[in-house]
Amino acid sequence: MNLIQRCQPLLDVLRNPVCMATLDLAAWDLLLRQAGAAGLLSRLAVQAETLGLIARVPDEVRPHLTAARTVAAKQRQAVRWEARRVAQALAGIEGPVLLLKGAAYAIADLPPAAGRLFGDIDILVPRAQLGQVEGALLLAGWHSQKQDNYDQRYYRRWMHELPPMTHIRRGTVLDVHHNLLPETARIHTEATPILEAARALAAPSGLSLPADTDLVLHSACHLFHEGEWGHGLRDLVDLDAMLRGFTVGPDFWLTLLARAQTLNLGRPLYYALDCCQRWLHTPIPPNVIVNCPQRPPAWQGALMRELFDAGLASAHRSCRGRLAGLAAFALYVRGHYLRMPWRLLLPHLLHQAKRRDRDQS
Amino acid sequence: MKLLQLPSAELRRQMAGAGVWLRTGPFSLKLKSRIPSVAESLAKLYGQFEVRSVHEAFADFHIAVNPPGNLRRWLLPQAEFSFDGLQPFDPLPRDQAFPMLEWGLNWCVSTQAHQYLVIHAAVVEKNGLAAILPGPPGTGKSTLTAGLVLSGWRLLSDELTLIELKTGSIHPLPRPISLKNESIPLMRSFSPDAYLNRASHDTAKGTVAYLRPPKESVRRQHEPAQPGWIVFPKWVADGETELLPRSKQQTFQSLSQHAFNYTQFGVEAFRVWSGLIQQADCYDFQYSRLQEAVTVFDHLAESAAAGEARN
């Protein structure tokens, strides 16, 4: 059984939510656990309600869906509220302030927002405005927590974001980016085209959203280049939702490919399209994948498929293959390898390892 | 079938193998454990609860308490709680395996059962009205609860008050009552016939033993109750028995500190919360003598019943 087959019934209902109406109790027993572990139960719960399937779900299952919907509704409300606080804090800043990922989906009600769980708030600002932004956020109560000089230097010198800022009273975490990828990453991308193409929001005023294509590319590069696999399948579901929802215009796909070329993000886009199609049956025209810029050579594509599949299948133990631990380690190493050149990476890992030793003793 | 109808050797065998299916209040569990003391305490304390074959299609929570797979097991035997294959807590000494199951179950409900508003409070019922007893450990909440349910009150829960959002009614989860330290001998002398399991020593809460829930409370575990009183108990050594009214506003503030999942809800919870406090009479209660405490509560229930009869 391959990894994609192992992730049933979760993949069945992600591909086609209507089949929630036909699942028996035993299938639900597994589905609730797979979806819960993947952070996708609330999405299914909201879809079940939107599609009018709640009455066709077994009695034992309904409370779980109610609970998951409750949590999602509150989180959505909270992230929207928090985004408005960010807008207030940054009202005096010149240049656009872009919401990224979860907060962007929630505030503009984009396709991935339904039933999504949220973590930190991510924003993107022009690099020239970074100092002003940080100052304004500090005044409004966000500050970077528990980081020593090494961390501060690491972030400020090499990374594409400030050290995470935590709100002093609410404990919410804000990531302030000035680019999509670290300065030291093996792929170089520019934030300027993204900032220029941003659309200002009517409300809350002062915030903007990246163009649809840029939202897709950022999500792809977050998952397939930065390598945060803790929510791998959930992030893939975000991509699937956007690719299904944004494709109303006839030239979406052409624009997306051209944009990937401009931003130098063809490689992560290729991986994203390939995984979306195989895992979630996202309807992607065949020539789009063929024409994706910066496609990997065939041998590399095949190898990466194995790794990504293992990463996506790591959501629940029923899905994991025999080599899950090894694949997770390989993905972790790859994420770091892509992040910075060896001459920076090795001293960094050594420092982290020494610190862990010290913290434990 | 009831758990007590399952021969103990058979229960041990099933739990060490594929597991057992058990219902407690609104929740069903699939439960595994290779540790004999877990099966033993379960048989003694959960005897009145319904058990089915583990091949039952569905369970709300899939949990296990087993020796962890680390090397320490050769030096110091331990127990580890798993929720669907994940270990949310560090392992504990093997002697605490059964308390760990109870704490793990509380964790499952308070972190996941957001179909209810969950308050960290004991709750008991008489004549259809429930007394909610919030209180951090050490306030004598469990002792008072045990005293009341051994004197004719119905146990709804020792730890988790489950409030249904639509109706505001309270759903029972009458699992064993956890007694700590001095309240263990106190309860043995208060009610020599009550069953307490073998105590676990040196836990984070000191010595812990569990009191078997009354048969009648388990039989009526699907029967909800309406909130009647919110009483903040406080055990004071040699203190006088004293029931003092408490303002609704104060109650609102203190009770919200005991809500496990209030922050998971939006405005809906606020509505339920205010309704609950409007509906209930609110008190502070100090006691040292359990029998007197029971009398005070019986009196509350009688006056409510008399008031009901007059209306």
Side-chain angles (χ1 to χ4, degrees):
Chain A
M1 188 158 58
N2 72 26
L3 289 174
I4 294 184
Q5 287 160 345
R6 277 173 180 273
C7 298
Q8 299 297 359
L10 178 57
L11 286 187
D12 266 344
V13 297
L14 289 175
R15 290 166 181 169
N16 183 16
V18 178
C19 64
M20 278 188 271
T22 59
L23 295 180
D24 64 17
L25 206 47
W28 271 110
D29 180 83
L30 182 56
L31 175 61
L32 288 179
R33 291 180 288 143
Q34 288 179 336
L40 287 165
L41 182 56
S42 48
R43 181 161 180 89
L44 295 181
V46 168
Q47 283 178 325
E49 187 176 51
T50 313
L51 296 168
L53 306 176
I54 299 291
R56 294 162 72 185
V57 160
D59 292 345
E60 291 88 335
V61 174
R62 226 171 283 133
H64 290 263
L65 300 185
T66 307
R69 266 201 315 275
T70 304
V71 174
K74 176 60 198 283
Q75 286 207 3
R76 177 134 179 220
Q77 183 200 20
V79 79
R80 292 169 67 115
W81 190 86
E82 197 69 28
R84 289 199 291 275
R85 300 285 89 67
V86 174
Q88 271 173 9
L90 298 181
I93 299 294
E94 279 175 55
V97 176
L98 277 66
L99 292 176
L100 298 176
K101 299 195 71 200
Y105 309 149
I107 222 85
D109 207 7
L110 298 176
R116 194 182 190 272
L117 299 180
F118 300 96
D120 309 347
I121 293 202
D122 298 274
I123 60 172
L124 177 73
V125 299
R127 183 156 205 182
Q129 253 65 265
L130 214 47
Q132 271 191 48
V133 167
E134 191 176 8
L137 289 172
L138 272 169
L139 275 180
W142 279 277
H143 62 143
S144 40
Q145 240 189 356
K146 277 196 291 186
Q147 262 138 358
D148 56 19
N149 291 335
Y150 179 88
D151 287 324
Q152 293 287 344
R153 201 169 60 238
Y154 169 81
Y155 273 99
R156 286 170 201 276
R157 219 165 134 188
W158 310 122
M159 286 298 106
H160 51 311
E161 57 188 328
L162 295 176
M165 300 179 87
T166 307
H167 194 274
I168 201 161
R169 279 188 27 241
R170 301 193 292 275
T172 47
V173 177
L174 181 64
D175 289 329
V176 181
H177 303 251
H178 56 81
N179 202 343
L180 300 195
L181 289 174
E183 304 294 288
T184 52
R186 278 168 213 259
I187 299 182
H188 184 75
T189 186
E190 291 286 339
T192 319
I194 298 177
L195 294 163
E196 281 170 357
R199 306 156 277 176
L201 286 167
S205 76
L207 294 182
S208 305
L209 281 192
D212 288 351
T213 50
D214 299 353
L215 283 165
V216 172
L217 288 165
H218 178 224
S219 177
C221 111
H222 189 77
L223 183 58
F224 292 98
H225 191 274
E226 289 218 81
E228 295 206 0
W229 287 90
H231 299 291
L233 191 56
R234 188 197 71 181
D235 289 358
L236 197 70
V237 167
D238 284 347
L239 278 160
D240 170 74
M242 285 189 278
L243 292 174
R244 286 173 196 265
F246 288 163
T247 48
V248 278
D251 49 358
F252 172 81
W253 294 107
L254 284 177
T255 323
L256 180 64
L257 293 181
R259 198 67 175 163
Q261 182 81 55
T262 310
L263 293 172
N264 200 24
L265 294 174
R267 182 67 61 90
L269 178 64
Y270 169 79
Y271 291 139
L273 296 176
D274 179 60
C275 285
C276 273
Q277 189 176 53
R278 289 182 307 112
W279 278 73
L280 299 169
H281 292 179
T282 316
I284 300 167
N287 63 338
V288 169
I289 296 192
V290 175
N291 293 328
C292 191
Q294 295 136 9
R295 284 183 58 172
W299 66 268
Q300 194 181 349
L303 179 68
M304 293 318 298
R305 257 188 191 183
E306 297 288 326
L307 278 187
F308 294 146
D309 286 358
L312 293 167
S314 67
H316 186 258
R317 62 183 166 140
S318 64
C319 310
R320 273 171 224 145
R322 274 184 306 123
L323 299 175
L326 196 63
F329 181 69
L331 282 170
Y332 174 81
V333 171
R334 172 183 180 266
H336 275 81
Y337 163 80
L338 293 176
R339 195 165 254 254
M340 43 174 64
W342 293 113
R343 70 183 165 79
L344 295 177
L345 180 58
L346 290 176
H348 175 63
L349 291 179
L350 188 65
H351 177 271
Q352 298 293 71
K354 278 192 341 216
R355 172 152 68 185
R356 203 167 307 150
D357 262 4
R358 202 174 54 227
D359 291 349
Q360 279 175 0
S361 60
Chain B
M1 125 174 167
K2 286 184 176 178
L3 185 63
L4 60 84
Q5 293 166 297
L6 199 62
S8 60
E10 179 59 18
L11 176 68
R12 233 186 3 256
R13 196 188 61 77
Q14 288 190 13
M15 285 189 57
V20 291
W21 184 100
L22 184 75
R23 172 177 291 288
T24 146
F27 307 110
S28 54
L29 323 168
K30 277 189 188 174
L31 178 59
K32 289 185 196 183
S33 181
R34 295 194 302 275
I35 301 174
S37 66
V38 173
E40 187 192 313
S41 286
L42 197 78
K44 291 282 195 338
L45 294 166
Y46 282 84
Q48 296 295 330
F49 289 86
E50 182 193 359
V51 67
R52 294 187 201 167
S53 143
V54 76
H55 303 299
E56 192 69 24
F58 185 87
D60 291 306
F61 303 124
H62 295 246
I63 56 189
V65 177
N66 274 321
N70 58 20
L71 291 173
R72 264 179 77 97
R73 66 176 179 268
W74 304 110
L75 297 170
L76 179 73
Q78 286 186 315
E80 186 171 53
F81 174 81
S82 311
F83 169 75
D84 190 26
L86 296 174
Q87 286 80 38
F89 312 111
D90 288 337
L92 290 176
R94 182 79 48 89
D95 180 50
Q96 301 177 27
F98 186 76
M100 197 168 202
L101 169 64
E102 288 293 318
W103 297 330
L105 263 173
N106 291 342
W107 174 85
C108 287
V109 174
S110 61
T111 59
Q112 304 190 42
H114 307 309
Q115 66 269 36
Y116 299 106
L117 191 56
V118 186
I119 307 176
H120 186 196
V123 54
V124 293
E125 177 263 356
K126 200 164 200 178
N127 304 333
L129 287 180
I132 299 171
L133 312 172
T139 51
K141 166 184 68 131
S142 292
T143 314
L144 179 59
T145 307
L148 289 169
V149 306
L150 291 171
S151 312
W153 286 67
R154 173 161 75 111
L155 175 68
L156 301 190
S157 173
D158 159 46
E159 195 77 21
L160 301 163
T161 300
L162 307 178
I163 301 181
E164 192 188 321
L165 287 168
K166 266 198 199 111
T167 58
S169 58
I170 300 172
H171 284 250
L173 181 59
R175 287 169 34 214
I177 299 175
S178 106
L179 296 169
K180 283 139 248 161
N181 306 318
E182 308 85 60
S183 61
I184 298 169
L186 190 146
M187 211 45 67
R188 287 195 202 282
S189 62
F190 182 82
S191 180
D193 298 338
Y195 176 82
L196 273 76
N197 77 334
R198 192 178 55 76
S200 299
H201 300 282
D202 303 318
T203 77
K205 304 176 180 191
T207 300
V208 175
Y210 288 87
L211 172 72
R212 179 194 290 157
K215 194 173 170 182
E216 183 65 4
S217 301
V218 181
R219 191 182 66 76
R220 294 171 61 193
Q221 66 170 327
H222 300 303
E223 193 182 307
Q226 288 305 310
W229 310 272
I230 301 169
V231 184
F232 290 80
K234 192 173 179 193
W235 184 87
V236 177
D238 304 319
E240 289 305 310
T241 308
E242 211 171 53
L243 185 72
L244 296 171
R246 186 186 174 99
S247 82
K248 301 248 169 187
Q249 190 194 347
Q250 235 188 344
T251 305
F252 191 98
Q253 279 163 3
S254 348
L255 194 62
S256 55
Q257 289 162 14
H258 296 283
F260 270 123
N261 63 352
Y262 186 70
T263 52
Q264 302 286 356
F265 295 87
V267 68
E268 201 182 10
F270 181 81
R271 185 180 52 73
V272 177
W273 205 241
S274 330
L276 168 71
I277 288 163
Q278 281 308 318
Q279 203 176 336
D281 291 340
C282 308
Y283 297 100
D284 279 311
F285 180 60
Q286 174 190 297
Y287 76 102
S288 61
R289 290 174 294 275
L290 195 52
Q291 194 55 60
E292 280 182 25
V294 171
T295 312
V296 169
F297 273 75
D298 282 344
H299 183 71
L300 275 182
E302 279 156 25
S303 4
E308 186 69 16
R310 268 200 307 279
N311 292 333

